[in-house]
Structures are given as structure tokens and as C-alpha cells.
Amino acid sequence: RPPQSDMSRGLTLFLMPLALLVAPVQAEGAVAAAEEVKIEVLHLPEVCSPKSKKGDLLNAHYDGFLASDGSKFYCSRTQNEGHPKWFVLGVGQVIKGLDVAMMNMCPGEKRKVIIPPSLAYGQQGYAQGKIPPNETLIFEIELYAVNKGPRSVEAFNQIDKDSDKKLSQLEISQYLKEEFARDGKKRHPSVHDEILADIFKKNDHDGDGFISAKEYNVYQHDEL
């Protein structure tokens, strides 16, 4: 499923876009002190704001190379019609090394990063991604946008029109209509109802017809 399908495009406050290289296994054992992400800034814009932090929603293009032979194993520009990737930083949607490598990065910045196996795919590698065991990875990254994260206080308050610290079906329905209008993409009316039902199925854990601040704030990087 592509990151920006009809069911997720423009709905980043609720339906998390799939991201590149979600690690299938955790790194084995403790990470040695010497094994860290090496970052080289290739381009830094004059205006560097806002800087990325955990929980932010990032939009970026990146190419991945194997350090052993320099071969390219991934290019975001050749997938999803060339659209940059969206993902939430620091919550495990990408491998640990990329979560580290893209902290404190600003829109327009370009980086070259070297990620050791312990912060990538470790001893097992990732056969589906053509990554051998114990492989060091190199990424060239261009960051386009840094937005407030999907589960931030600001996002919750934006939807919570009556400020009662819970989101009703009416509030979320209105939010979806606004997002659809902003997106400008034509959709069948049934898509709205399907997404609304899906949001409550996945977020209204106690089944009371509302999404509470606690139910909404799954990443727990903000306090409501």
C-alpha cells in the first residue's frame, strides 16, 4: 500500500503513512559507543527553521546505498510516482539510524549519513530490501518539510472545536471535509464515511463514541 493512497492522502493526523525501511527486527544487543550515525551536511539553507524533532511529520526524498560496494538499493524518487516520503520522526516508522540521522534537520537541508548495521538491519540483514547481513548503509537525504506531528497537542486542539478534550464524530467529520477540500482531489462520497469509521475503529478504544486525549496521543511525546 503506498504512503499516500486515497485512504491516507491528506489525513496524516490519523492515518499514518507507511514509510521506507521499517526495520523487521530490532538491533541485537547493545549498540557499541563507536557505532553511531555519521552525518555530513551537504547543504544548509540560510533560514534553518523549524528544526526537526521527535514526533514531527517529515517530507523527504532519499537514496540508499550499500557501503560495501556502493550499489543503490533504494530510491524514493522511483516510487509512488516520485512523490517525497512522509513519515513521523523518532517513533520507529523508519530504521533507528534514520530516526537519529534526521533529528535537528531543517527544510531544504541535504545530508549524507552513514548508518552502522546495529542501527539498521544488524546481523540478519533485510533480504527483501536486498541488504546483506552486517551491512553499513549510506543515505543521501533531502528534507522538504517539517510539520507538527500527527499526534501533537496542536493537532488535537485544531480538531477539538469545542475544547472539551475529546473528539466527536462531528468534529472529525468536519476535519476530514476540510482536509479533502485542501487536498483538492476528487473522491467518491463513500470514502469520507469509510475513513471516519476506520478512525473510530482504530482510536476509540473504550467505544464511547469519542476519541479522548489519551486515546489520540499514541506517541505520548506531548502532554495534554
Side-chain angles (χ1 to χ4, degrees):
R1 190 171 58 168
Q4 294 288 294
S5 65
D6 266 349
M7 287 294 286
S8 65
R9 185 176 181 85
L11 302 175
T12 52
L13 298 191
F14 279 99
L15 306 181
M16 294 300 91
L18 301 179
L20 159 73
L21 300 178
V22 177
V25 293
Q26 297 294 321
E28 299 175 9
V31 178
E35 292 190 328
E36 59 185 17
V37 176
K38 297 179 181 178
I39 299 172
E40 177 186 356
V41 177
L42 303 177
H43 173 72
L44 188 66
E46 291 184 11
V47 178
C48 185
S49 179
K51 288 190 174 184
S52 60
K53 63 183 185 302
K54 181 180 179 180
D56 282 344
L57 182 68
L58 305 188
N59 185 231
H61 264 315
Y62 36 102
D63 295 331
F65 305 85
L66 301 180
S68 58
D69 61 9
S71 62
K72 182 183 291 188
F73 65 84
Y74 185 84
C75 176
S76 63
R77 292 173 175 83
T78 63
Q79 299 199 7
N80 192 32
E81 298 180 347
H83 296 301
K85 299 293 182 182
W86 287 98
F87 65 94
V88 180
L89 183 65
V91 299
Q93 287 193 344
V94 292
I95 56 174
K96 178 65 175 177
L98 281 176
D99 270 340
V100 172
M102 297 184 70
M103 290 286 183
N104 297 311
M105 196 172 180
C106 54
E109 184 174 345
K110 297 179 182 180
R111 290 181 177 181
K112 178 180 179 180
V113 302
I114 301 175
I115 299 174
S118 59
L119 297 176
Y121 293 96
Q123 297 178 10
Q124 295 189 23
Y126 184 35
Q128 184 177 343
K130 299 181 179 179
I131 298 172
N134 299 309
E135 182 68 36
T136 296
L137 306 181
I138 299 172
F139 284 94
E140 293 181 359
I141 306 164
E142 182 173 3
L143 182 60
Y144 293 102
V146 177
N147 296 333
K148 289 291 184 183
R151 301 292 173 145
S152 66
V153 172
E154 292 88 350
F156 186 94
N157 291 338
Q158 176 187 346
I159 304 170
D160 185 21
K161 302 292 187 183
D162 60 7
S163 301
D164 64 352
K165 298 300 180 185
K166 58 184 180 181
L167 306 180
S168 67
Q169 291 203 26
L170 180 61
E171 286 173 329
I172 295 175
S173 177
Q174 181 60 35
Y175 161 74
L176 293 179
K177 291 177 182 178
E178 292 172 357
E179 287 295 299
F180 281 157
R182 186 178 298 114
D183 180 77
K185 185 176 181 180
K186 291 184 179 180
R187 296 177 176 84
H188 191 276
S190 64
V191 172
H192 175 279
D193 296 336
E194 291 172 2
I195 293 176
L196 184 63
D198 192 55
I199 287 171
F200 273 84
K201 180 181 178 180
K202 292 178 178 177
N203 293 273
D204 182 18
H205 303 304
D206 61 9
D208 67 350
F210 294 90
I211 297 175
S212 66
K214 183 177 180 180
E215 288 171 329
Y216 177 86
N217 198 30
V218 295
Y219 295 133
Q220 299 179 350
H221 60 273
D222 288 316
E223 293 296 328
L224 279 165

